[in-house]
Amino acid sequence: MGGHIVFAGMNINYIIDEINVEKDQEFNNSPYIGQDGSTSNFVSSSGRIISFKSLCKKDEQSPHGRGHRINDYAYLAKNFNKTAKVLTSSSQSNLNGNYLCTGFSYAEDTGGNYIIDWEFQEVIPFNVTKKTFRVWGKAVSSSKKSKNTKTKKSGGNNLSSNVKYLLKTCPTLKKSDSHKKCVKSLQKFLQSKGFYKNYKVDGLYQIYTEQAVKGLQRKCKLKVTGKWDKATRSYFQKKYKYPTTSIKKGSSKK
C-alpha cells in the first residue's frame, strides 16, 4: 500500500492497487470544416484511460479529517470532468499528461476508511491538416464530390440493440432490483460510458452498479440518486432521440 499522484495540484494518496492503463480512441469534440464545407471529427489513438483505487484513512490527517478530504476529492471530480488538468505521478512518470476526471465514487469499509474508485481520461491534441474529409480516413477533393454522399444522421438508427433495449423496455432500476436482463443492459451501457470498469456484467444491481450510476449522473449533471430513474432514462432518450415513438404504457413506471 502506498504511492500517490497529483491531479490539478491535489494529492491523491494511498493508492492501494496497480494503476490500470487502457488505450482509447476518443473523438475530438470540435469538427474540422473542410475547404468544400464538409466536416469530420478527428480521432486520437494516443489517449489513455487510467483507473485505480485509493484509500482515505479513518484517521486522515487533513485539517478536518476524512470528511474534509472526501469533499476536496468530490470538488475535484465535479470541476475537472470537462476541463483537462495536469496529472503527474512520481512513481510512474510515463503517465504524466493532461487528463479529465471521468470517474469518482467511494464506499466505506469495515475499518471506517473510505475506498475510492478513480478514473481519468487523457486528452491528446490533434493537429488538423488542410485536407478535406467527408469520411474519416478518406480524403475527398472538392472536384470529386458525389451528389449522392449523405451525412449519417445521429439518432436511434445508430444505437446498439443493448442501448435500444435499455431506453425503450427497461423500467426504473435500483439497488437489489431483480430485473436481471435490464440490469445487464445498464451495466454494459455504464461500461460504454467509462463507468463500471473491471466489474462483471452479472445482472445484479449492487453497490458497484449503484456507484457507477451515481458517477454517470454526476457527469451528466443530473440529480445523483444511484438509480436508473425516470430523469436519467429521459435524459438519454432525448440525447439519442430514441425511442422515436411513445413508450408502451407501464414500461417506464417506477
Side-chain angles (χ1 to χ4, degrees), residues 75-142:
Y75 173 85
L76 179 151
K78 179 180 179 181
N79 286 276
F80 301 116
N81 65 348
K82 291 185 178 179
T83 303
K85 289 293 180 180
V86 173
L87 179 148
T88 59
S89 170
S90 57
S91 59
Q92 298 188 56
S93 59
N94 60 308
L95 295 180
N96 295 353
N98 294 312
Y99 289 80
L100 301 174
C101 182
T102 52
F104 169 77
S105 59
Y106 63 90
E108 188 173 9
D109 67 12
T110 55
N113 309 303
Y114 284 136
I115 298 176
I116 308 167
D117 283 281
W118 293 98
E119 182 183 90
F120 295 92
Q121 168 70 61
E122 186 179 22
V123 177
I124 304 291
F126 190 95
N127 295 323
V128 175
T129 69
K130 292 183 178 180
K131 292 181 179 179
T132 298
F133 290 88
R134 187 167 298 282
V135 179
W136 169 249
K138 296 181 180 179
V140 181
S141 67
S142 58

Side-chain angles (χ1 to χ4, degrees), residues 2-16:
H4 75 283
I5 65 173
V6 180
F7 178 69
M10 187 179 297
N11 287 329
I12 299 175
N13 302 313
Y14 307 114
I15 296 174
I16 58 176

Side-chain angles (χ1 to χ4, degrees), residues 49-222:
I49 295 174
I50 67 172
S51 57
F52 59 90
K53 296 180 187 294
S54 70
L55 191 67
C56 184
K57 293 185 176 181
K58 180 180 180 180
D59 56 351
E60 174 66 48
Q61 297 300 310
S62 63
H64 304 290
R66 64 173 190 166
H68 183 268
R69 176 65 69 184
I70 284 292
N71 287 339
D72 284 346
Y73 287 158
Y75 173 85
L76 179 151
K78 179 180 179 181
N79 286 276
F80 301 116
N81 65 348
K82 291 185 178 179
T83 303
K85 289 293 180 180
V86 173
L87 179 148
T88 59
S89 170
S90 57
S91 59
Q92 298 188 56
S93 59
N94 60 308
L95 295 180
N96 295 353
N98 294 312
Y99 289 80
L100 301 174
C101 182
T102 52
F104 169 77
S105 59
Y106 63 90
E108 188 173 9
D109 67 12
T110 55
N113 309 303
Y114 284 136
I115 298 176
I116 308 167
D117 283 281
W118 293 98
E119 182 183 90
F120 295 92
Q121 168 70 61
E122 186 179 22
V123 177
I124 304 291
F126 190 95
N127 295 323
V128 175
T129 69
K130 292 183 178 180
K131 292 181 179 179
T132 298
F133 290 88
R134 187 167 298 282
V135 179
W136 169 249
K138 296 181 180 179
V140 181
S141 67
S142 58
S143 62
K144 293 183 179 180
K145 286 191 302 179
S146 170
K147 293 181 180 180
N148 295 325
T149 302
K150 295 181 180 180
T151 302
K152 206 171 185 180
K153 295 182 179 179
S154 61
N157 290 336
N158 296 327
L159 298 178
S160 69
S161 58
N162 178 71
V163 176
K164 288 182 177 180
Y165 181 80
L166 178 65
L167 295 181
K168 186 174 183 179
T169 307
C170 295
T172 291
L173 302 169
K174 61 183 184 299
K175 191 174 178 182
S176 301
D177 267 353
S178 58
H179 300 275
K180 198 161 186 176
K181 186 175 180 180
C182 281
V183 175
K184 280 187 175 182
S185 294
L186 174 60
Q187 290 169 335
K188 291 177 183 177
F189 180 68
L190 290 166
Q191 288 181 340
S192 73
K193 295 299 177 185
F195 299 92
Y196 198 68
K197 291 284 188 179
N198 304 318
Y199 297 111
K200 183 179 179 182
V201 176
D202 55 10
L204 302 176
Y205 204 122
Q206 299 299 333
I207 185 168
Y208 289 114
T209 304
E210 183 181 59
Q211 288 175 354
V213 171
K214 287 181 178 180
L216 180 66
Q217 289 170 330
R218 290 189 190 98
K219 184 175 182 179
C220 297
K221 302 188 183 305
L222 298 169

